[in-house]
Amino acid sequence: MKASRKVQKILSNYEGENPGVKGNLCRMLMEGRLKGTGKMIILPVDQGFEHGPARTYGPNPAAYDPHYHYQLAIDAGLNAFAAPLGLLEAGADTFAGQIPTILKLNSANSLMSGTAGKDQAVTGSIDDALRLGCSAIGFTIYPGSDAQLDMYEEIVEMRREAASLGIPTVIWSYPRGEAISKEGETAIDVAAYAAQIAALLGAHIIKIKLSTDHLEVPEAKAMFEEQGIDISTQAARVAECMRSSFNGRRIVVFSGGAKKGEDSIFDDARAIRDGGGNGSIIGRNSFQRERSEALALFDKLVSIYKDNG
């Protein structure tokens, strides 16, 4: 596998990393139908933990089978497949070496009370990632939660251990919790701040949500307005999040969220592309559709990221 010049340029931004970390990043960037472009599409399947099986797989019963997701990611020509420990274990041998995998190391669930606070439990280890041949680990943080500082300390230690063994880290940086409003979870100033926090914690790949033009923090709102920072379009907001990710020196992918219409998905991808983002991490919007529909959706997304759609 020869890395493209585009991928070599991306890897050069990770100046403090060892060849193992860069090699695994290269493997993901050079995998699938977007290989060599610097763009990525990742399939994440952690929603069964987060929302429960019926809410997650009910719209497409074939998706109850972990093998379904491995095969979907492979057949769609995606860059990687991300899931919690048990789901990856259920297909690790059958699909060994066929698709880069990302072990999601922490999870929450919807059976907790509203007073429990926003936090996640550690549900896997770096040893598990090594044993399963994973190309990266994944970890969620909740900027805005009263538990956020503990989460930062957890991922810093896990990231250090993983990097020492040549494994990169993907940080899901999802603002939520006691310090911000529901509208603030997707505010542009908060989204950009979440990207910056993930970058500062050492994320090799940052996963955030697409943002709205809402400004949550008064001091940030004043600065956005004083400096005339453009947040009028989704592409402009993507660009601001990229700027906050070390001026584009970190790979940033944007989540698809709950299932929605195809036109919205494609418009989001065009905005990510036009704003300089690295791609999509899209779960329910793909596997909750019938297989042929999901493959057609990924076909179109690949075309968009190749500037053909």
Side-chain angles (χ1 to χ4, degrees):
M1 176 185 68
K2 182 179 180 181
S4 68
R5 289 187 178 180
K6 179 69 174 179
V7 169
Q8 290 175 9
K9 175 64 169 63
I10 291 172
L11 295 177
S12 73
N13 291 326
Y14 294 84
E15 297 186 27
E17 290 306 337
N18 58 47
V21 167
K22 289 190 175 185
N24 273 309
L25 288 173
C26 183
R27 183 188 174 200
M28 289 185 283
L29 288 164
M30 293 301 299
E31 179 74 23
R33 296 169 62 194
L34 287 172
K35 64 181 180 182
T37 64
K39 303 298 183 185
M40 304 181 78
I41 302 176
I42 299 170
L43 174 66
V45 188
D46 57 342
Q47 298 85 354
F49 216 137
E50 302 287 331
H51 306 295
R55 289 171 60 190
T56 300
Y57 310 123
N60 178 20
Y64 277 93
D65 187 344
H67 284 212
Y68 180 87
H69 302 288
Y70 272 99
Q71 198 64 60
L72 178 62
I74 292 165
D75 292 347
L78 305 188
N79 297 80
F81 168 46
L85 177 62
L87 199 154
L88 285 189
E89 285 187 328
D93 184 55
T94 299
F95 299 98
Q98 297 183 51
I99 182 80
T101 54
I102 300 168
L103 177 59
K104 184 68 164 51
L105 288 180
N106 67 340
S107 294
N109 69 85
S110 59
L111 296 178
M112 298 176 69
S113 73
T115 59
K118 300 299 182 183
D119 199 358
Q120 295 209 359
V122 174
T123 56
S125 69
I126 308 303
D127 285 344
D128 291 322
L130 284 171
R131 174 173 55 85
L132 295 172
C134 295
S135 295
I137 59 167
F139 194 92
T140 295
I141 59 172
Y142 290 148
S145 167
D146 287 351
Q148 63 184 296
L149 299 184
D150 290 337
M151 302 178 85
Y152 299 167
E153 291 176 357
E154 287 173 342
I155 187 51
V156 163
E157 182 58 28
M158 286 187 162
R159 186 255 186 217
R160 182 204 60 75
E161 181 184 355
S164 73
L165 297 168
I167 301 175
T169 294
V170 185
I171 292 183
W172 277 238
S173 194
Y174 282 2
R176 64 182 60 171
E178 296 79 2
I180 55 176
S181 68
K182 187 65 177 177
E183 188 179 19
E185 291 179 5
T186 53
I188 176 56
D189 60 320
V190 176
Y193 199 172
Q196 170 81 179
I197 289 170
L200 291 169
L201 288 171
H204 301 100
I205 299 176
I206 298 165
K207 177 180 186 280
I208 56 174
K209 295 180 179 181
L210 288 167
S211 58
T212 68
D213 62 2
H214 174 62
L215 292 165
E216 174 82 353
V217 180
E219 294 84 355
K221 181 178 181 180
M223 186 59 66
F224 271 79
E225 293 174 349
E226 176 186 318
Q227 297 300 318
I229 298 172
D230 183 13
I231 56 171
S232 61
T233 66
Q234 189 63 262
R237 296 191 291 273
V238 168
E240 178 62 19
C241 290
M242 295 304 298
R243 188 166 71 154
S244 298
S245 303
F246 295 167
N247 204 29
R249 289 180 177 270
R250 291 296 176 265
I251 298 167
V252 183
V253 293
F254 294 80
S255 65
K259 187 178 178 183
K260 53 191 174 185
E262 289 187 353
D263 288 345
S264 294
I265 296 169
F266 300 146
D267 286 344
D268 286 348
R270 293 185 187 100
I272 293 166
R273 177 197 65 194
D274 296 345
N278 294 97
S280 300
I281 180 161
I282 181 165
R284 285 172 289 176
N285 276 297
S286 60
F287 67 72
Q288 287 187 343
R289 288 173 162 80
E290 190 272 329
R291 177 181 160 82
S292 63
E293 293 179 12
L295 290 172
L297 179 106
F298 282 129
D299 282 344
K300 180 64 174 178
L301 288 172
V302 167
S303 178
I304 288 171
Y305 283 125
K306 287 184 174 179
D307 294 328
N308 296 322

